[in-house]
Amino acid sequence: ALFDKETLSWLEQFSGVDLSDRQRFALAYILDKEKLNNFEYCRMNECDSRVAGKELGELVDSGLVIQHGTRRWAFYALPQERKKEFTISQKRGLRRDRRQEILAIIKGRGECGRREIKEIVPLSSAGIIYWLRKLVQEGKIEPTTDSLKDPGVKYRIRTSKG
């Protein structure tokens, strides 16, 4: 069964993340089947392809899933490190807060990209993205590009303008 006891327990760690029921369903599906594409998302959630693309994109932006391929060949999966990290965090409880560590790196360098942070902080790429998004949402840092999806995006300490 897709929503067995272990899967429901695994999904509980996302209770603090703003996800729709469709996105939670997608995460459970990916955990069980290891990947999901736009067509499957549409079929299981009875939604339009554009809605599916938007909601899957939000999962990618949040660092919960990674996208492989583009357009009609795109599919979505849990990062391997993330899958292991989730299993470990279930046993250990809450994940360690890395915000101060990442803030210190950005302050020290002025501007810093995800790869540079990953070289210093022992986290998966998805973990780095997770904490960067938290810091952006809190208004502590800002991206140097309009799109957070830009692979070359760098982050800097947010100035107190406006």
Side-chain angles (χ1 to χ4, degrees):
L2 187 59
F3 287 101
D4 60 9
K5 193 174 182 179
E6 290 82 23
T7 303
L8 291 173
S9 174
W10 181 80
L11 282 170
E12 279 182 33
Q13 67 191 310
F14 304 113
S15 61
V17 181
D18 186 25
L19 297 173
S20 69
D21 288 341
R22 292 192 295 229
Q23 290 170 318
R24 290 181 195 286
F25 187 17
L27 286 171
Y29 185 93
I30 294 170
L31 182 66
D32 185 54
K33 306 289 186 199
E34 297 190 1
K35 65 181 180 176
L36 171 74
N37 63 32
N38 188 294
F39 175 76
E40 291 164 331
Y41 189 94
C42 290
R43 189 182 64 214
M44 67 190 214
N45 287 307
E46 298 178 3
C47 67
D48 182 75
S49 174
R50 292 176 299 237
V51 172
K54 177 184 175 285
E55 292 180 358
L56 287 166
E58 289 169 356
L59 288 173
V60 171
D61 289 345
S62 69
L64 298 176
V65 300
I66 53 175
Q67 178 179 334
H68 298 275
T70 57
R71 300 178 157 228
R72 65 185 289 192
W73 295 277
F75 68 91
Y76 304 83
L78 290 173
Q80 275 309 104
E81 317 87 59
R82 191 72 169 193
K83 203 171 183 180
K84 290 175 195 163
E85 186 179 86
F86 288 150
T87 306
I88 292 166
S89 72
Q90 254 185 316
K91 295 174 186 166
R92 159 170 48 126
L94 297 173
R95 71 176 84 198
R96 184 172 154 206
D97 190 332
R98 301 288 189 149
R99 286 179 281 200
Q100 293 306 316
E101 209 173 331
I102 292 171
L103 269 175
I105 293 166
I106 295 171
K107 280 180 185 170
R109 294 186 177 210
E111 282 186 0
C112 200
R114 293 187 296 243
R115 285 192 187 116
E116 296 166 273
I117 295 169
K118 190 173 180 343
E119 289 172 9
I120 300 166
V121 180
L123 279 178
S124 65
S125 296
I128 300 289
I129 291 168
Y130 173 84
W131 291 113
L132 286 169
R133 296 216 182 274
K134 281 252 186 232
L135 289 166
V136 168
Q137 289 168 355
E138 292 169 1
K140 294 182 179 174
I141 63 172
E142 62 187 3
T144 58
T145 61
D146 289 336
S147 172
L148 295 178
K149 291 182 181 180
D150 182 345
V153 66
K154 292 192 181 276
Y155 297 87
R156 61 181 169 234
I157 300 299
R158 186 170 183 173
T159 55
S160 46
K161 292 186 246 170

